[in-house]
Amino acid sequence: MVEHVPDKPFALLAELTYACPLHCPYCSNPVEMDNFRNELTTEEWQRVITEAAELGVLQLHFSGGEPLQRRDIVELVQHASNLGLYTNLITSGLGFSPRRAEELRDAGLDHIQVSIQADEQALSDRIAGTTSFERKHVAVDLVKKMGWPLTLNVVLHAQNIDRMDKILEMAAAMDANRIELANTQYYGWAGKNRTELLPTRDQLDRAEIAVRDAQAKFGDRMEIIYVIPDYYSKFPKPCMDGWARRQFTVIPNGDALPCPTAHDVADSVGIPHANVRENSLGWIWESSPLFQQFRGQDWMPDPCRSCDRREIDFGGCRCQALALTGDAARTDPVCHLSPDHGLVEAAVTAANDPTRPHNAPMIPRPNPSRIRSPLTLEVK
């Protein structure tokens, strides 16, 4: 394989822990969470953050699980801020107390993104798998009181997408600066629950109307980002702007991934994992077999290799190809030109079956306390 010299990355997603007080059935965290008990220490994360800055990273996004369950979150934010990185906390809002908020503000945190499951309490708490709706509203109020820019993130699926107009009204009432309406990506626990989560065409049509109406009503004061499910697209999304081209992820056990859901790709193609405990971040980004594996176009099969869109969508999502076909090197089955597109068509047909049950029970993400490490803190 030809080695491709990459551009400098601009963003790092630091998944500090997979511990989380929520049990969302659409979670993209890996199903085998027992494999990630051995979390990086404070000192190891500080070294990763330093190496990221030296590599050219400008934005650092703290995520999980729930990053507030790491008792060193303030220390890590402070370290990143001292290096001049723009810092963003991606949180459920649970554990975001006034004291913690003041500590994070003093540490230099730049931005907060809060997840919301729905606009009304019963549905939101059912999806989250725990009583959390009112606590999220308290957290949002605190974010605004402390003067941070606020992004809301709502993962959409069949069980909440019909409330799109109400969700957008709630976001406007919260004075959100930005709302990300992202249809579920079917990895991890979401992959196990795809039958219950994939919306119908009619649901999508109604949601798009609600988004357009809200953009006309609130667009001058709230940015609205709406991402349709790629199962309904003709072409795949340009996943991560291409494999290991602009951003990457480090997960709790120190594995570095070209995208947040690439946990199984190295094993599937028979190459070593790239772990920050074993190699520098610079070497991983520039030379590791995993990060080189799907860079450029040499790896592409037809129809990608001869397609005019190969530099637009880069063959689609490697993780989705692996999840659906068992082969990360195949064309993303979302593409209508893929020889495996029938897999996606079958899922869409099943989702639009009028006899499909509504609000069917789903498999919840398991109790994260079972994987909590000594470096994490129970949310009170």
Side-chain angles (χ1 to χ4, degrees):
M1 177 179 291
V2 176
E3 183 167 317
H4 296 273
V5 179
D7 294 332
K8 297 297 184 183
F10 79 88
L12 166 62
L13 179 67
E15 295 192 331
L16 302 180
T17 179
Y18 285 147
C20 182
L22 305 186
H23 308 272
C24 304
Y26 57 74
C27 183
S28 61
N29 285 168
V31 172
E32 300 297 333
M33 288 191 292
D34 280 351
N35 296 334
F36 305 95
R37 291 176 179 270
N38 188 18
E39 295 179 1
L40 296 179
T41 65
T42 304
E43 292 73 20
E44 286 173 323
W45 271 117
Q46 288 174 329
R47 176 176 58 79
V48 168
I49 294 168
T50 298
E51 292 181 0
E54 293 171 346
L55 189 57
V57 165
L58 301 175
Q59 299 179 4
L60 181 58
H61 305 277
F62 292 104
S63 182
E66 173 49 67
L68 290 174
Q69 291 216 348
R70 288 279 300 216
R71 63 173 176 254
D72 56 0
I73 181 62
V74 174
E75 191 173 350
L76 296 179
V77 169
Q78 181 72 71
H79 184 74
S81 297
N82 290 344
L83 293 169
L85 296 175
Y86 182 89
T87 52
N88 176 36
L89 179 69
I90 303 171
T91 177
S92 67
L94 275 64
F96 190 64
S97 65
R99 177 181 175 183
R100 181 61 60 85
E102 291 179 1
E103 292 173 340
L104 288 167
R105 182 190 59 188
D106 293 344
L109 182 67
D110 293 299
H111 182 273
I112 295 182
Q113 175 179 310
V114 179
S115 68
I116 300 286
Q117 280 66 43
D119 67 290
E120 63 93 21
Q121 184 169 0
L123 178 60
S124 180
D125 289 349
R126 180 170 66 81
I127 294 170
T130 190
T131 303
S132 57
F133 182 76
E134 292 183 351
R135 296 161 72 186
K136 286 174 176 286
H137 278 252
V138 170
V140 165
D141 289 343
L142 184 54
V143 170
K144 298 303 295 187
K145 179 182 178 182
M146 300 291 286
W148 275 297
L150 170 66
T151 293
L152 297 179
N153 176 265
V154 182
V155 177
L156 299 172
H157 45 80
Q159 301 198 18
N160 69 356
I161 196 169
D162 288 330
R163 299 194 62 85
M164 180 75 85
D165 55 343
K166 302 297 184 184
I167 289 170
L168 286 162
E169 289 174 5
M170 175 189 69
M174 289 177 165
D175 196 24
N177 302 91
R178 187 170 187 261
I179 181 168
E180 297 177 354
L181 302 159
N183 274 276
T184 302
Q185 301 295 315
Y186 297 102
Y187 315 114
W189 296 96
K192 285 185 167 292
N193 289 304
R194 187 184 68 180
T195 300
E196 290 75 29
L197 292 170
L198 188 62
T200 67
R201 293 183 190 275
D202 287 344
Q203 285 183 304
L204 289 175
D205 290 342
R206 292 193 297 270
E208 289 179 7
I209 292 171
V211 168
R212 288 198 297 270
D213 289 347
Q215 287 171 333
K217 184 176 181 181
F218 306 122
D220 59 338
R221 60 187 179 95
M222 181 175 67
E223 183 181 8
I224 301 173
I225 308 297
Y226 176 60
V227 182
I228 68 170
D230 51 359
Y231 276 44
Y232 285 91
S233 299
K234 185 177 181 180
F235 297 104
K237 61 183 180 295
C239 187
M240 304 297 293
D241 292 322
W243 182 266
R245 287 184 72 241
R246 303 184 68 194
Q247 49 192 314
F248 64 109
T249 299
V250 176
I251 63 175
N253 71 343
D255 280 352
L257 305 176
C259 83
T261 57
H263 304 88
D264 300 322
V265 171
D267 292 335
S268 75
V269 296
I271 58 177
H273 288 236
N275 193 284
V276 300
R277 285 178 166 140
E278 301 168 1
N279 297 104
S280 71
L281 213 55
W283 181 86
I284 289 171
W285 176 260
E286 294 172 0
S287 303
S288 68
L290 177 60
F291 278 56
Q292 287 286 342
Q293 184 71 24
F294 298 112
R295 275 190 177 129
Q297 302 175 23
D298 295 343
W299 64 272
M300 289 183 178
D302 279 324
C304 297
R305 182 182 293 270
S306 56
C307 182
D308 292 340
R309 292 181 55 88
R310 63 185 179 275
E311 295 183 1
I312 298 174
D313 56 37
F314 312 105
C317 178
R318 299 301 87 225
C319 303
Q320 189 154 257
L322 176 62
L324 291 175
T325 73
D327 184 354
R330 291 186 71 80
T331 298
D332 187 338
V334 160
C335 182
H336 75 291
L337 300 173
S338 166
D340 303 303
H341 186 58
L343 297 170
V344 172
E345 289 181 315
V348 169
T349 298
N352 287 273
D353 184 342
T355 65
R356 171 193 182 188
H358 294 285
N359 298 326
M362 295 180 284
I363 303 170
R365 185 185 189 271
N367 187 341
S369 65
R370 295 175 181 170
I371 63 164
R372 192 171 67 249
S373 83
L375 287 173
T376 59
L377 181 67
E378 185 73 45
V379 171
K380 299 297 184 183

